[in-house]
Amino acid sequence: MQTNNEVELVNQILLKDQQAYTEFIHRYQAVVFNVAWRMLGIREDAEDAAQDTFLRAFRFIKNFDRTRPIVPWLKQIAVNVCFDRLKRIPEEQPLEEDTLPYPDPAPGPETQASQRLRRERIHLEILKLPPRYRAVIELRHFQELRYHEIARVLNRPLSDIKSDLFRARKLLAAALQELNTGKSV
Amino acid sequence: MNHITEELLNEYLDQALDQAAAGSIDRHLQSCRVCTARMQGLQRLFEELAALPEEPLTRDLAPGILARLRPQPAFSFGKLLLLGQAGTALTILVLLAHNIPDNLNLGGFWHNAPGKLPDIQTFLLQAWLLASRIQLPSVEFPTLPAPWLQTGLDSSSISLILASTAALWVVGNLLLLNKTPPASGNTRHEKSS
């Protein structure tokens, strides 16, 4: 349920109040940027995607159900914006070393790796997944949507969503296993 | 012993199973080390994902978004110029169209049509003579022989050449107009969640 403040902000945006636009962006830009960051992994791309997310949100804000919370709606738009961007990149194109957000660390025992390095490594593994796997991981694990909700957001059959999610997890779990045993990923 | 399928294990952890199915998985896990290890592996992954930190945003996105939100004029000068050219070319095409059937041998239909326009040579000659008579304060157009009369082309051929040029002009202008990039984002309507 939205707070009155949020409803008022949306109402002001519908009245084309410039201050309301600015306040709306300031309030939610970090949340939207983080969705894009997790899915794209490149700061400039994530910032561009966040901008596109707000532009799309403003275009469709008149359709927004004001009894619902706004953050999940914005996050779902962000996933679709990122997914559309990723679809434009050929799927077989491997993730290039210089486009990775962190340097691919040298293999070594997990016990020596810092916690930060380990988290960066997990993010790297997410970024190596095909776009549709990334989208379902984002929606299930970071936005905590149920299967049928993910299917609705991505406009895809429920069976595809489950299959993609389970395969994505299998790939990530395998990478995690290799990380734990100190093998190169 | 039949182990739990990958799908069921995932659905169990996602709490997507009904009570009876979840109870059955619970009972199996109590007695199966293999499936318990698989489930724990997935649980560790879930925890690792949940522990991913937020990335700080290092710049304000508002100015860029607000700049892109400002209404753009529906027609720029360039667009108006292109539209004007396309309109002119289209007018020429229409004026010349009645001469083309001479070459296409469409029979008497076209020439019997009411309100038929004058012959192209007559039309161009009249336009030329009219232009020759225009007098500006200090400039007078010289009376020159119409150049197309010396080419030896008949009116249908001249019409065809001019009509083709005009058609190309129209198509070219329309292509240039269409080249204007659409607003960013796709057209899918975002329904509220």
Side-chain angles (χ1 to χ4, degrees):
Chain A
M1 186 75 181
Q2 281 211 78
T3 63
N4 284 338
N5 199 354
E6 277 182 333
V7 175
E8 185 54 35
L9 195 54
V10 172
N11 288 340
Q12 289 303 310
I13 286 170
L14 288 170
L15 294 171
K16 310 283 179 201
D17 178 346
Q18 287 296 303
Q19 286 259 251
Y21 280 106
T22 309
E23 192 184 333
F24 186 92
I25 297 164
H26 285 161
R27 195 180 287 191
Y28 304 116
Q29 61 182 353
V31 169
V32 169
F33 167 76
N34 264 280
V35 173
W37 166 253
R38 280 192 295 269
M39 283 191 70
L40 304 175
I42 298 169
R43 178 168 288 278
E44 291 75 24
D45 287 358
E47 288 174 352
D48 282 352
Q51 290 198 1
D52 288 347
T53 301
F54 280 106
L55 290 171
R56 201 183 283 188
F58 291 142
R59 201 185 317 154
F60 297 113
I61 204 160
K62 59 182 179 298
N63 302 337
F64 175 67
D65 176 357
R66 275 169 270 177
T67 63
R68 301 252 181 178
I70 204 142
V71 171
W73 180 68
L74 273 177
K75 282 178 165 181
Q76 287 160 29
I77 295 176
V79 170
N80 270 319
V81 166
C82 294
F83 191 42
D84 289 347
R85 276 174 170 256
L86 290 167
K87 277 192 290 191
R88 291 200 288 266
I89 304 168
E91 202 157 307
E92 64 274 15
Q93 185 179 309
L95 205 56
E96 287 173 19
E97 192 70 32
D98 57 357
T99 65
L100 295 175
Y102 325 101
D104 215 356
E110 159 57 17
T111 48
Q112 290 174 9
S114 70
Q115 193 71 353
R116 186 179 59 83
L117 212 60
R118 183 177 173 82
R119 285 170 182 165
E120 287 175 355
R121 193 74 177 266
I122 290 162
H123 188 197
L124 269 181
E125 293 307 327
I126 294 174
L127 295 174
K128 288 177 185 173
L129 294 174
R132 55 179 217 275
Y133 287 10
R134 273 188 244 182
V136 291
I137 288 287
E138 169 63 32
L139 290 167
R140 177 68 199 122
H141 286 277
F142 298 97
Q143 302 188 24
E144 299 179 347
L145 297 193
R146 294 176 175 279
Y147 299 154
H148 69 275
E149 291 170 323
I150 300 173
R152 182 182 48 74
V153 170
L154 297 178
N155 196 21
R156 293 180 52 216
L158 185 64
S159 56
D160 285 7
I161 297 301
K162 284 188 190 180
S163 147
D164 284 357
L165 180 63
F166 304 160
R167 281 183 197 159
R169 282 171 174 170
K170 201 168 185 176
L171 288 171
L172 287 176
L176 201 66
Q177 183 66 27
E178 288 181 345
L179 194 60
N180 289 337
T181 54
K183 287 183 196 167
S184 173
V185 181
Chain B
M1 178 187 291
N2 287 332
H3 293 301
I4 304 168
T5 63
E6 204 66 33
E7 187 170 347
L8 274 177
L9 199 56
N10 274 278
E11 289 181 355
Y12 173 76
L13 285 171
D14 286 327
Q15 299 175 348
L17 294 175
D18 60 39
Q19 214 171 356
S24 162
I25 302 280
D26 277 335
R27 283 190 294 280
H28 178 84
L29 287 171
Q30 281 168 9
S31 60
C32 178
R33 284 185 183 177
V34 175
C35 289
T36 304
R38 285 168 60 214
M39 186 196 67
Q40 285 169 345
L42 271 177
Q43 270 177 330
R44 270 197 300 277
L45 172 67
F46 288 17
E47 286 160 14
E48 297 268 13
L49 289 173
L52 278 186
E54 294 277 295
E55 183 72 10
L57 182 60
T58 52
R59 73 179 178 94
D60 184 8
L61 302 179
I65 298 166
L66 294 174
R68 288 169 67 185
L69 266 178
R70 282 195 199 105
Q72 302 292 319
F75 287 104
S76 62
F77 175 73
K79 263 192 178 179
L80 281 175
L81 195 67
L82 283 174
L83 272 176
Q85 287 184 4
T88 309
L90 206 59
T91 309
I92 293 171
L93 198 57
V94 169
L95 285 172
L96 295 176
H98 75 288
N99 273 284
I100 295 170
D102 288 348
N103 266 8
L104 299 179
N105 195 21
L106 291 179
F109 167 75
W110 192 268
H111 288 284
N112 294 333
K116 190 170 92 64
L117 290 166
D119 176 80
I120 183 63
Q121 281 196 338
T122 314
F123 175 78
L124 288 175
L125 195 59
Q126 280 173 354
W128 183 268
L129 288 172
L130 192 67
S132 302
R133 281 193 215 116
I134 295 171
Q135 288 192 2
L136 296 173
S138 59
V139 181
E140 189 178 330
F141 283 99
T143 308
L144 295 172
W148 59 86
L149 293 178
Q150 295 163 4
T151 60
L153 294 170
D154 61 8
S155 66
S156 290
S157 304
I158 295 170
S159 300
L160 260 180
I161 292 166
L162 290 175
S164 307
T165 311
L168 281 172
W169 199 5
V170 170
V171 171
N173 278 305
L174 292 177
L175 283 175
L176 280 173
L177 277 173
N178 275 343
K179 220 179 155 188
T180 312
S184 71
N186 65 15
T187 52
R188 193 189 316 153
H189 287 251
E190 302 291 343
K191 299 268 195 278
S192 78
S193 58

